[in-house]
Amino acid sequence: MTNLGEPDGRGEPLRAHRLFRTRDLDEARANVSRSFCPHRLEGIGAMRGFDTVHNKASGRALSLNYLRYGAEVRIDPGDLDDFYLIQFPLRGKALVVNGGHEVLSHESQAVILNPSLRSRLEWQAGCEKLIVQVGRKALQMVAEDLIGHRLERPIVFSPAIDGTRPEVAGWARALRSCMMAAERGADRWGEGNRHQAVLEEQLIARFLICQPSVIQHFFEEGAMQEAPSRHVRRARAFIHANLVEPLTLSRISKAAGCSIRALQLAFRNHLGCTPTQYLRDERLRLAHYHLQTAPEGTLVGDIAFDVGFSHLGRFSIDYRRAFGQAPSATLRRSRPVALNFAHSGQSPTKRDVTLGQRKQSSE
């Protein structure tokens, strides 16, 4: 992973944005709670090295943070509710639990805490992190703009972030550039920068594309193609705006401003499929998202009909062909929090140590 610490080589990251420094645990808990959310903070074993430093460069919907505790601590924030936390250890290690996943985070493996899943953390002594706090609503809006779909449920990411992947390393370089901008002053990062909204949107969009999540299949090859034909662009926009409605070729072609035959030829030439196939594939992608995030008691048939399929058998066949498993299998794997990242190429990280083992070793 690209080195994210000390962006200008002179020491502590974001030191120009110091919020506080304290050796008192209660004071540290209160100050960090104000910056993020109320949480439990307790020491593990000897606390002689406890020395908390928190630096924070705030933007609009996204902030950059440097945080260290010095000693070994246990943190229980529960549900984050309205923001995501992307944590890059600059030094040391931390054991992170988010939902049903445990990740041993270190310099080559970062972690993201999903706000809709309960979190617990244990920082080893000497662990220092760069933490990116991203507003949940802002991330959701960028995702919807990217994929052209309204997302009614939270986006859930695979918690482990593999820093050895080229896509993640590229995102880390972009993040490092933002850190350097923050070090240079308010006119480069924050409300004083008239390009701040663009910087944050680009950073969020790149993360959405590179990190496995329940919407990753929307970014796969073929799903995000540009359509140079104005008729295809109009047709796609109409399809996305009315995806779950009964759509005929006649309605789509009228919205596109051309004949059915002309539209079919345009889709073949520019997208390699028919308008009907494109409509089916977009509905399948939406169904895949809903199946991975469905609340308890949801039936496959309910989701199929909700996203526009009228024939459950046909839906099941098409879904299996697209995602390599039956829709019922995807739904089962979403219980209770084990998510389906089958298309990400990234399996859940094998944990190197358990919370119980760490507790015993510290006693």
Side-chain angles (χ1 to χ4, degrees):
M1 184 183 294
T2 298
N3 181 21
L4 291 171
E6 299 143 13
D8 58 9
R10 293 187 293 169
E12 182 181 287
L14 302 171
R15 68 197 170 285
H17 300 271
R18 172 69 58 81
L19 280 186
F20 72 91
R21 180 174 186 175
T22 182
R23 295 182 180 275
D24 183 82
L25 188 141
D26 291 333
E27 184 179 355
R29 181 193 304 111
N31 285 327
V32 174
S33 292
R34 279 192 290 269
S35 186
F36 294 122
C37 65
H39 64 282
R40 291 177 57 194
L41 174 66
E42 56 188 19
I44 303 175
M47 293 291 287
R48 288 186 297 273
F50 186 80
D51 179 21
T52 302
V53 171
H54 185 190
N55 304 334
K56 182 169 187 173
S58 296
R60 295 185 178 182
L62 184 151
S63 68
L64 309 176
N65 301 263
Y66 165 77
L67 184 61
R68 74 168 187 253
Y69 287 100
E72 191 170 14
V73 297
R74 182 179 294 115
I75 306 164
D76 186 357
D79 299 336
L80 304 180
D81 189 35
D82 61 352
F83 60 85
Y84 295 81
L85 286 183
I86 307 170
Q87 303 189 352
F88 285 87
L90 305 177
R91 297 174 184 84
K93 298 178 181 179
L95 181 65
V96 179
V97 178
N98 185 236
H101 301 267
E102 286 190 11
V103 180
L104 184 66
S105 185
H106 46 76
E107 291 182 31
S108 296
Q109 181 161 264
V111 66
I112 179 169
L113 304 185
N114 294 285
S116 58
L117 304 179
R118 186 171 182 83
S119 298
R120 289 177 295 139
L121 307 90
E122 287 187 4
W123 290 38
Q124 293 184 2
C127 182
E128 302 177 32
K129 291 187 181 184
L130 176 70
I131 301 175
V132 183
Q133 183 182 25
V134 184
R136 178 170 172 172
K137 289 182 179 178
L139 185 140
Q140 196 96 351
M141 288 176 61
V142 173
E144 290 177 351
D145 288 343
L146 277 175
I147 67 177
H149 290 289
R150 178 173 173 77
L151 301 173
E152 299 174 354
R153 303 189 187 108
I155 297 169
V156 182
F157 293 92
S158 176
I161 302 173
D162 183 358
T164 65
R165 293 174 57 223
E167 304 93 324
V168 174
W171 187 82
R173 286 191 293 271
L175 177 58
R176 187 175 186 274
S177 296
C178 292
M179 289 178 61
M180 294 175 67
E183 290 282 9
R184 294 187 184 119
D187 62 329
R188 299 294 184 91
W189 178 266
E191 291 298 331
N193 180 8
R194 63 191 183 95
H195 300 293
Q196 183 68 21
V198 177
L199 286 175
E200 293 185 13
E201 182 183 81
Q202 290 175 344
L203 204 61
I204 294 171
R206 289 188 66 172
F207 186 81
L208 281 162
I209 292 171
C210 77
Q211 179 61 14
S213 73
V214 296
I215 65 168
Q216 188 189 22
H217 54 288
F218 288 108
F219 304 121
E220 292 175 353
E221 186 176 356
M224 301 292 288
Q225 291 179 357
E226 278 298 316
S229 162
R230 69 180 185 278
H231 299 307
V232 174
R233 285 198 300 269
R234 291 172 183 167
R236 289 178 66 183
F238 181 75
I239 287 172
H240 283 277
N242 301 276
L243 190 60
V244 301
E245 301 298 325
L247 291 181
T248 63
L249 271 178
S250 176
R251 286 187 65 191
I252 297 172
S253 63
K254 286 178 180 177
C258 63
S259 68
I260 291 177
R261 182 56 179 162
L263 186 64
Q264 289 174 326
L265 291 174
F267 265 73
R268 283 290 187 191
N269 290 336
H270 297 301
L271 300 180
C273 65
T274 67
T276 302
Q277 289 169 334
Y278 181 85
L279 172 62
R280 177 203 62 199
D281 291 346
E282 289 303 298
R283 285 173 171 169
L284 286 171
R285 293 186 181 101
L286 187 59
H288 189 56
Y289 161 72
H290 282 301
L291 285 165
Q292 292 181 97
T293 58
E296 191 70 37
T298 304
L299 302 177
V300 169
D302 294 338
I303 291 175
F305 291 123
D306 285 347
V307 301
F309 287 93
S310 58
H311 192 287
L312 183 57
R314 185 72 253 173
F315 164 73
S316 297
I317 293 171
D318 290 339
Y319 185 92
R320 184 187 292 273
R321 184 180 296 119
F323 299 105
Q325 61 183 208
S328 57
T330 304
L331 190 61
R332 281 197 303 273
R333 292 183 183 183
S334 71
R335 304 287 187 260
V337 290
L339 304 172
N340 176 17
F341 298 107
H343 289 264
S344 68
Q346 177 176 326
S347 58
T349 303
K350 183 181 291 184
R351 60 193 184 191
D352 299 82
V353 62
T354 67
L355 285 168
Q357 290 171 333
R358 302 235 337 117
K359 181 177 180 182
Q360 292 171 9
S361 66
S362 66
E363 294 176 345

